[in-house]
PDB file of all heavy atoms in Angstrom:
ATOM      1  N   PRO A 444      20.248  30.464 -17.786  1.00 93.00           N
ATOM      2  CA  PRO A 444      19.999  30.535 -16.315  1.00 93.00           C
ATOM      3  C   PRO A 444      18.972  31.598 -15.979  1.00 93.00           C
ATOM      4  O   PRO A 444      18.218  31.381 -15.081  1.00 93.00           O
ATOM      5  CB  PRO A 444      21.386  30.927 -15.807  1.00 93.00           C
ATOM      6  CG  PRO A 444      22.353  30.409 -16.859  1.00 93.00           C
ATOM      7  CD  PRO A 444      21.700  30.482 -18.168  1.00 93.00           C
ATOM      8  N   PHE A 445      18.970  32.778 -16.645  1.00 93.00           N
ATOM      9  CA  PHE A 445      18.035  33.810 -16.265  1.00 93.00           C
ATOM     10  C   PHE A 445      16.597  33.410 -16.484  1.00 93.00           C
ATOM     11  O   PHE A 445      15.660  33.837 -15.907  1.00 93.00           O
ATOM     12  CB  PHE A 445      18.376  35.130 -16.958  1.00 93.00           C
ATOM     13  CG  PHE A 445      18.116  35.166 -18.437  1.00 93.00           C
ATOM     14  CD1 PHE A 445      16.935  35.554 -18.903  1.00 93.00           C
ATOM     15  CD2 PHE A 445      19.092  34.739 -19.335  1.00 93.00           C
ATOM     16  CE1 PHE A 445      16.679  35.580 -20.314  1.00 93.00           C
ATOM     17  CE2 PHE A 445      18.875  34.746 -20.635  1.00 93.00           C
ATOM     18  CZ  PHE A 445      17.645  35.198 -21.166  1.00 93.00           C
ATOM     19  N   LEU A 446      16.409  32.512 -17.545  1.00 94.00           N
ATOM     20  CA  LEU A 446      15.040  31.999 -17.861  1.00 94.00           C
ATOM     21  C   LEU A 446      14.605  31.061 -16.811  1.00 94.00           C
ATOM     22  O   LEU A 446      13.441  31.035 -16.388  1.00 94.00           O
ATOM     23  CB  LEU A 446      15.027  31.304 -19.252  1.00 94.00           C
ATOM     24  CG  LEU A 446      15.171  32.219 -20.483  1.00 94.00           C
ATOM     25  CD1 LEU A 446      15.288  31.400 -21.735  1.00 94.00           C
ATOM     26  CD2 LEU A 446      14.035  33.248 -20.519  1.00 94.00           C
ATOM     27  N   ILE A 447      15.521  30.165 -16.301  1.00 94.00           N
ATOM     28  CA  ILE A 447      15.163  29.187 -15.289  1.00 94.00           C
ATOM     29  C   ILE A 447      14.830  29.966 -14.029  1.00 94.00           C
ATOM     30  O   ILE A 447      13.790  29.673 -13.406  1.00 94.00           O
ATOM     31  CB  ILE A 447      16.347  28.243 -14.942  1.00 94.00           C
ATOM     32  CG1 ILE A 447      16.753  27.485 -16.236  1.00 94.00           C
ATOM     33  CG2 ILE A 447      15.979  27.291 -13.827  1.00 94.00           C
ATOM     34  CD1 ILE A 447      17.916  26.626 -16.144  1.00 94.00           C
ATOM     35  N   ALA A 448      15.568  30.979 -13.683  1.00 93.00           N
ATOM     36  CA  ALA A 448      15.360  31.720 -12.450  1.00 93.00           C
ATOM     37  C   ALA A 448      14.057  32.438 -12.519  1.00 93.00           C
ATOM     38  O   ALA A 448      13.369  32.595 -11.456  1.00 93.00           O
ATOM     39  CB  ALA A 448      16.555  32.764 -12.246  1.00 93.00           C
ATOM     40  N   SER A 449      13.670  32.927 -13.647  1.00 92.00           N
ATOM     41  CA  SER A 449      12.434  33.764 -13.743  1.00 92.00           C
ATOM     42  C   SER A 449      11.156  32.874 -13.949  1.00 92.00           C
ATOM     43  O   SER A 449      10.054  33.393 -13.832  1.00 92.00           O
ATOM     44  CB  SER A 449      12.492  34.790 -14.778  1.00 92.00           C
ATOM     45  OG  SER A 449      12.813  34.193 -16.005  1.00 92.00           O
ATOM     46  N   THR A 450      11.291  31.631 -14.218  1.00 95.00           N
ATOM     47  CA  THR A 450      10.074  30.851 -14.517  1.00 95.00           C
ATOM     48  C   THR A 450       9.825  29.730 -13.439  1.00 95.00           C
ATOM     49  O   THR A 450       8.669  29.486 -13.097  1.00 95.00           O
ATOM     50  CB  THR A 450      10.178  30.057 -15.864  1.00 95.00           C
ATOM     51  OG1 THR A 450      11.398  29.296 -15.917  1.00 95.00           O
ATOM     52  CG2 THR A 450      10.150  31.110 -16.998  1.00 95.00           C
ATOM     53  N   VAL A 451      10.870  29.129 -12.877  1.00 95.00           N
ATOM     54  CA  VAL A 451      10.629  28.045 -11.946  1.00 95.00           C
ATOM     55  C   VAL A 451      10.163  28.581 -10.627  1.00 95.00           C
ATOM     56  O   VAL A 451      10.943  29.341  -9.916  1.00 95.00           O
ATOM     57  CB  VAL A 451      11.873  27.091 -11.810  1.00 95.00           C
ATOM     58  CG1 VAL A 451      11.571  25.976 -10.816  1.00 95.00           C
ATOM     59  CG2 VAL A 451      12.215  26.502 -13.161  1.00 95.00           C
ATOM     60  N   ASN A 452       9.053  28.152 -10.171  1.00 94.00           N
ATOM     61  CA  ASN A 452       8.460  28.663  -8.817  1.00 94.00           C
ATOM     62  C   ASN A 452       8.810  27.702  -7.679  1.00 94.00           C
ATOM     63  O   ASN A 452       9.260  28.015  -6.630  1.00 94.00           O
ATOM     64  CB  ASN A 452       6.917  28.815  -8.865  1.00 94.00           C
ATOM     65  CG  ASN A 452       6.453  29.823  -9.837  1.00 94.00           C
ATOM     66  OD1 ASN A 452       7.286  30.677 -10.157  1.00 94.00           O
ATOM     67  ND2 ASN A 452       5.196  29.784 -10.304  1.00 94.00           N
ATOM     68  N   THR A 453       8.423  26.382  -7.889  1.00 96.00           N
ATOM     69  CA  THR A 453       8.498  25.390  -6.890  1.00 96.00           C
ATOM     70  C   THR A 453       9.015  24.113  -7.493  1.00 96.00           C
ATOM     71  O   THR A 453       8.672  23.749  -8.562  1.00 96.00           O
ATOM     72  CB  THR A 453       7.092  25.154  -6.247  1.00 96.00           C
ATOM     73  OG1 THR A 453       6.480  26.363  -5.980  1.00 96.00           O
ATOM     74  CG2 THR A 453       7.124  24.232  -5.073  1.00 96.00           C
ATOM     75  N   ILE A 454       9.837  23.386  -6.699  1.00 96.00           N
ATOM     76  CA  ILE A 454      10.410  22.068  -7.164  1.00 96.00           C
ATOM     77  C   ILE A 454      10.115  21.102  -6.023  1.00 96.00           C
ATOM     78  O   ILE A 454      10.377  21.238  -4.825  1.00 96.00           O
ATOM     79  CB  ILE A 454      11.892  22.137  -7.473  1.00 96.00           C
ATOM     80  CG1 ILE A 454      12.192  23.311  -8.402  1.00 96.00           C
ATOM     81  CG2 ILE A 454      12.390  20.814  -8.012  1.00 96.00           C
ATOM     82  CD1 ILE A 454      13.677  23.532  -8.572  1.00 96.00           C
ATOM     83  N   ILE A 455       9.590  19.909  -6.467  1.00 96.00           N
ATOM     84  CA  ILE A 455       9.331  18.796  -5.547  1.00 96.00           C
ATOM     85  C   ILE A 455      10.215  17.619  -5.837  1.00 96.00           C
ATOM     86  O   ILE A 455      10.238  17.137  -6.988  1.00 96.00           O
ATOM     87  CB  ILE A 455       7.846  18.324  -5.648  1.00 96.00           C
ATOM     88  CG1 ILE A 455       6.878  19.596  -5.464  1.00 96.00           C
ATOM     89  CG2 ILE A 455       7.502  17.261  -4.687  1.00 96.00           C
ATOM     90  CD1 ILE A 455       5.444  19.294  -5.862  1.00 96.00           C
ATOM     91  N   GLY A 456      10.930  17.151  -4.872  1.00 95.00           N
ATOM     92  CA  GLY A 456      11.748  15.861  -5.012  1.00 95.00           C
ATOM     93  C   GLY A 456      10.989  14.865  -4.225  1.00 95.00           C
ATOM     94  O   GLY A 456      10.460  15.127  -3.112  1.00 95.00           O
ATOM     95  N   GLN A 457      10.881  13.658  -4.701  1.00 94.00           N
ATOM     96  CA  GLN A 457      10.130  12.639  -4.060  1.00 94.00           C
ATOM     97  C   GLN A 457      10.591  11.139  -4.184  1.00 94.00           C
ATOM     98  O   GLN A 457      11.264  10.914  -5.193  1.00 94.00           O
ATOM     99  CB  GLN A 457       8.665  12.751  -4.352  1.00 94.00           C
ATOM    100  CG  GLN A 457       8.278  12.505  -5.821  1.00 94.00           C
ATOM    101  CD  GLN A 457       6.851  12.694  -6.122  1.00 94.00           C
ATOM    102  OE1 GLN A 457       6.368  13.864  -6.230  1.00 94.00           O
ATOM    103  NE2 GLN A 457       6.050  11.628  -6.151  1.00 94.00           N
ATOM    104  N   ARG A 458      10.281  10.358  -3.284  1.00 93.00           N
ATOM    105  CA  ARG A 458      10.470   8.926  -3.260  1.00 93.00           C
ATOM    106  C   ARG A 458       9.260   8.276  -2.563  1.00 93.00           C
ATOM    107  O   ARG A 458       8.483   8.959  -1.854  1.00 93.00           O
ATOM    108  CB  ARG A 458      11.734   8.506  -2.475  1.00 93.00           C
ATOM    109  CG  ARG A 458      12.989   8.975  -3.012  1.00 93.00           C
ATOM    110  CD  ARG A 458      13.542   8.161  -4.128  1.00 93.00           C
ATOM    111  NE  ARG A 458      14.944   8.391  -4.374  1.00 93.00           N
ATOM    112  CZ  ARG A 458      15.479   9.408  -4.962  1.00 93.00           C
ATOM    113  NH1 ARG A 458      14.733  10.410  -5.336  1.00 93.00           N
ATOM    114  NH2 ARG A 458      16.735   9.564  -5.180  1.00 93.00           N
ATOM    115  N   LEU A 459       9.048   6.931  -2.752  1.00 92.00           N
ATOM    116  CA  LEU A 459       8.017   6.244  -2.094  1.00 92.00           C
ATOM    117  C   LEU A 459       8.638   5.230  -1.164  1.00 92.00           C
ATOM    118  O   LEU A 459       9.595   4.453  -1.525  1.00 92.00           O
ATOM    119  CB  LEU A 459       7.088   5.565  -3.105  1.00 92.00           C
ATOM    120  CG  LEU A 459       6.161   6.439  -3.914  1.00 92.00           C
ATOM    121  CD1 LEU A 459       5.318   5.598  -4.914  1.00 92.00           C
ATOM    122  CD2 LEU A 459       5.252   7.281  -3.030  1.00 92.00           C
ATOM    123  N   VAL A 460       8.129   5.138   0.083  1.00 93.00           N
ATOM    124  CA  VAL A 460       8.530   4.112   1.037  1.00 93.00           C
ATOM    125  C   VAL A 460       7.347   3.239   1.482  1.00 93.00           C
ATOM    126  O   VAL A 460       6.243   3.676   1.410  1.00 93.00           O
ATOM    127  CB  VAL A 460       9.171   4.725   2.322  1.00 93.00           C
ATOM    128  CG1 VAL A 460      10.478   5.366   2.027  1.00 93.00           C
ATOM    129  CG2 VAL A 460       8.229   5.733   2.989  1.00 93.00           C
ATOM    130  N   ARG A 461       7.628   1.993   1.921  1.00 93.00           N
ATOM    131  CA  ARG A 461       6.557   1.100   2.361  1.00 93.00           C
ATOM    132  C   ARG A 461       6.098   1.541   3.796  1.00 93.00           C
ATOM    133  O   ARG A 461       6.948   1.891   4.658  1.00 93.00           O
ATOM    134  CB  ARG A 461       7.104  -0.304   2.397  1.00 93.00           C
ATOM    135  CG  ARG A 461       7.234  -0.852   1.008  1.00 93.00           C
ATOM    136  CD  ARG A 461       7.767  -2.251   1.030  1.00 93.00           C
ATOM    137  NE  ARG A 461       9.155  -2.310   1.487  1.00 93.00           N
ATOM    138  CZ  ARG A 461       9.900  -3.465   1.739  1.00 93.00           C
ATOM    139  NH1 ARG A 461       9.304  -4.579   1.427  1.00 93.00           N
ATOM    140  NH2 ARG A 461      11.121  -3.339   2.140  1.00 93.00           N
ATOM    141  N   ARG A 462       4.834   1.526   3.980  1.00 93.00           N
ATOM    142  CA  ARG A 462       4.271   1.812   5.327  1.00 93.00           C
ATOM    143  C   ARG A 462       4.343   0.592   6.250  1.00 93.00           C
ATOM    144  O   ARG A 462       4.186  -0.556   5.801  1.00 93.00           O
ATOM    145  CB  ARG A 462       2.797   2.217   5.245  1.00 93.00           C
ATOM    146  CG  ARG A 462       2.514   3.618   4.589  1.00 93.00           C
ATOM    147  CD  ARG A 462       1.009   3.827   4.560  1.00 93.00           C
ATOM    148  NE  ARG A 462       0.643   5.152   4.013  1.00 93.00           N
ATOM    149  CZ  ARG A 462       0.569   6.245   4.716  1.00 93.00           C
ATOM    150  NH1 ARG A 462       0.740   6.229   6.014  1.00 93.00           N
ATOM    151  NH2 ARG A 462       0.288   7.382   4.097  1.00 93.00           N
ATOM    152  N   VAL A 463       4.524   0.901   7.521  1.00 94.00           N
ATOM    153  CA  VAL A 463       4.471  -0.245   8.514  1.00 94.00           C
ATOM    154  C   VAL A 463       3.055  -0.641   8.607  1.00 94.00           C
ATOM    155  O   VAL A 463       2.113   0.128   8.736  1.00 94.00           O
ATOM    156  CB  VAL A 463       4.982   0.260   9.884  1.00 94.00           C
ATOM    157  CG1 VAL A 463       4.912  -0.848  10.916  1.00 94.00           C
ATOM    158  CG2 VAL A 463       6.498   0.694   9.754  1.00 94.00           C
ATOM    159  N   ALA A 464       2.841  -1.969   8.705  1.00 89.00           N
ATOM    160  CA  ALA A 464       1.501  -2.579   8.748  1.00 89.00           C
ATOM    161  C   ALA A 464       0.835  -2.229  10.099  1.00 89.00           C
ATOM    162  O   ALA A 464       1.508  -1.976  11.134  1.00 89.00           O
ATOM    163  CB  ALA A 464       1.543  -4.067   8.561  1.00 89.00           C
ATOM    164  N   PRO A 465      -0.535  -2.260  10.185  1.00 87.00           N
ATOM    165  CA  PRO A 465      -1.194  -1.979  11.456  1.00 87.00           C
ATOM    166  C   PRO A 465      -0.721  -2.872  12.590  1.00 87.00           C
ATOM    167  O   PRO A 465      -0.658  -2.440  13.771  1.00 87.00           O
ATOM    168  CB  PRO A 465      -2.662  -2.183  11.114  1.00 87.00           C
ATOM    169  CG  PRO A 465      -2.753  -1.931   9.658  1.00 87.00           C
ATOM    170  CD  PRO A 465      -1.483  -2.454   9.079  1.00 87.00           C
ATOM    171  N   LYS A 466      -0.504  -4.175  12.297  1.00 86.00           N
ATOM    172  CA  LYS A 466       0.018  -5.108  13.377  1.00 86.00           C
ATOM    173  C   LYS A 466       1.471  -4.865  13.473  1.00 86.00           C
ATOM    174  O   LYS A 466       2.283  -5.191  12.514  1.00 86.00           O
ATOM    175  CB  LYS A 466      -0.328  -6.543  13.003  1.00 86.00           C
ATOM    176  CG  LYS A 466      -1.774  -6.899  13.257  1.00 86.00           C
ATOM    177  CD  LYS A 466      -1.988  -8.360  13.066  1.00 86.00           C
ATOM    178  CE  LYS A 466      -3.434  -8.794  13.392  1.00 86.00           C
ATOM    179  NZ  LYS A 466      -3.668 -10.207  13.268  1.00 86.00           N
ATOM    180  N   ARG A 467       1.929  -4.314  14.575  1.00 91.00           N
ATOM    181  CA  ARG A 467       3.311  -3.900  14.726  1.00 91.00           C
ATOM    182  C   ARG A 467       3.900  -4.091  16.059  1.00 91.00           C
ATOM    183  O   ARG A 467       3.209  -4.289  17.063  1.00 91.00           O
ATOM    184  CB  ARG A 467       3.385  -2.387  14.298  1.00 91.00           C
ATOM    185  CG  ARG A 467       2.440  -1.574  15.193  1.00 91.00           C
ATOM    186  CD  ARG A 467       2.526  -0.055  14.775  1.00 91.00           C
ATOM    187  NE  ARG A 467       2.204   0.224  13.380  1.00 91.00           N
ATOM    188  CZ  ARG A 467       2.218   1.349  12.786  1.00 91.00           C
ATOM    189  NH1 ARG A 467       2.759   2.404  13.491  1.00 91.00           N
ATOM    190  NH2 ARG A 467       1.876   1.547  11.543  1.00 91.00           N
ATOM    191  N   ASP A 468       5.256  -4.097  16.147  1.00 93.00           N
ATOM    192  CA  ASP A 468       5.980  -4.171  17.386  1.00 93.00           C
ATOM    193  C   ASP A 468       6.608  -2.855  17.667  1.00 93.00           C
ATOM    194  O   ASP A 468       7.148  -2.209  16.705  1.00 93.00           O
ATOM    195  CB  ASP A 468       6.964  -5.335  17.388  1.00 93.00           C
ATOM    196  CG  ASP A 468       6.306  -6.688  17.351  1.00 93.00           C
ATOM    197  OD1 ASP A 468       5.362  -6.936  18.041  1.00 93.00           O
ATOM    198  OD2 ASP A 468       6.835  -7.531  16.611  1.00 93.00           O
ATOM    199  N   ILE A 469       6.755  -2.483  18.870  1.00 94.00           N
ATOM    200  CA  ILE A 469       7.427  -1.231  19.323  1.00 94.00           C
ATOM    201  C   ILE A 469       8.844  -1.610  19.893  1.00 94.00           C
ATOM    202  O   ILE A 469       8.852  -2.581  20.705  1.00 94.00           O
ATOM    203  CB  ILE A 469       6.612  -0.419  20.310  1.00 94.00           C
ATOM    204  CG1 ILE A 469       5.296   0.021  19.647  1.00 94.00           C
ATOM    205  CG2 ILE A 469       7.317   0.815  20.783  1.00 94.00           C
ATOM    206  CD1 ILE A 469       4.265   0.669  20.548  1.00 94.00           C
ATOM    207  N   TYR A 470       9.856  -0.874  19.557  1.00 94.00           N
ATOM    208  CA  TYR A 470      11.176  -1.161  20.111  1.00 94.00           C
ATOM    209  C   TYR A 470      11.950   0.143  20.296  1.00 94.00           C
ATOM    210  O   TYR A 470      11.671   1.167  19.688  1.00 94.00           O
ATOM    211  CB  TYR A 470      11.918  -2.185  19.250  1.00 94.00           C
ATOM    212  CG  TYR A 470      12.440  -1.619  17.940  1.00 94.00           C
ATOM    213  CD1 TYR A 470      13.787  -1.197  17.804  1.00 94.00           C
ATOM    214  CD2 TYR A 470      11.625  -1.495  16.894  1.00 94.00           C
ATOM    215  CE1 TYR A 470      14.219  -0.748  16.637  1.00 94.00           C
ATOM    216  CE2 TYR A 470      12.031  -1.009  15.645  1.00 94.00           C
ATOM    217  CZ  TYR A 470      13.423  -0.632  15.531  1.00 94.00           C
ATOM    218  OH  TYR A 470      13.780  -0.087  14.338  1.00 94.00           O
ATOM    219  N   ASN A 471      13.031   0.114  21.063  1.00 94.00           N
ATOM    220  CA  ASN A 471      13.842   1.264  21.261  1.00 94.00           C
ATOM    221  C   ASN A 471      15.035   1.252  20.298  1.00 94.00           C
ATOM    222  O   ASN A 471      15.644   0.098  20.001  1.00 94.00           O
ATOM    223  CB  ASN A 471      14.424   1.354  22.739  1.00 94.00           C
ATOM    224  CG  ASN A 471      13.370   1.719  23.691  1.00 94.00           C
ATOM    225  OD1 ASN A 471      12.473   2.455  23.326  1.00 94.00           O
ATOM    226  ND2 ASN A 471      13.404   1.132  24.910  1.00 94.00           N
ATOM    227  N   SER A 472      15.430   2.370  19.756  1.00 94.00           N
ATOM    228  CA  SER A 472      16.523   2.392  18.713  1.00 94.00           C
ATOM    229  C   SER A 472      17.834   2.005  19.351  1.00 94.00           C
ATOM    230  O   SER A 472      18.103   2.137  20.534  1.00 94.00           O
ATOM    231  CB  SER A 472      16.562   3.840  18.179  1.00 94.00           C
ATOM    232  OG  SER A 472      16.849   4.731  19.294  1.00 94.00           O
TER     233      SER A 472
END
Side-chain angles (χ1 to χ4, degrees):
F445 71 91
L446 290 176
I447 299 172
S449 56
T450 55
V451 179
N452 296 338
T453 310
I454 307 170
I455 304 165
Q457 63 184 80
R458 296 281 197 284
L459 291 177
V460 291
R461 292 176 290 176
R462 286 179 181 270
V463 177
K466 285 189 176 180
R467 53 181 62 187
D468 292 320
I469 297 172
Y470 71 99
N471 287 328
S472 59

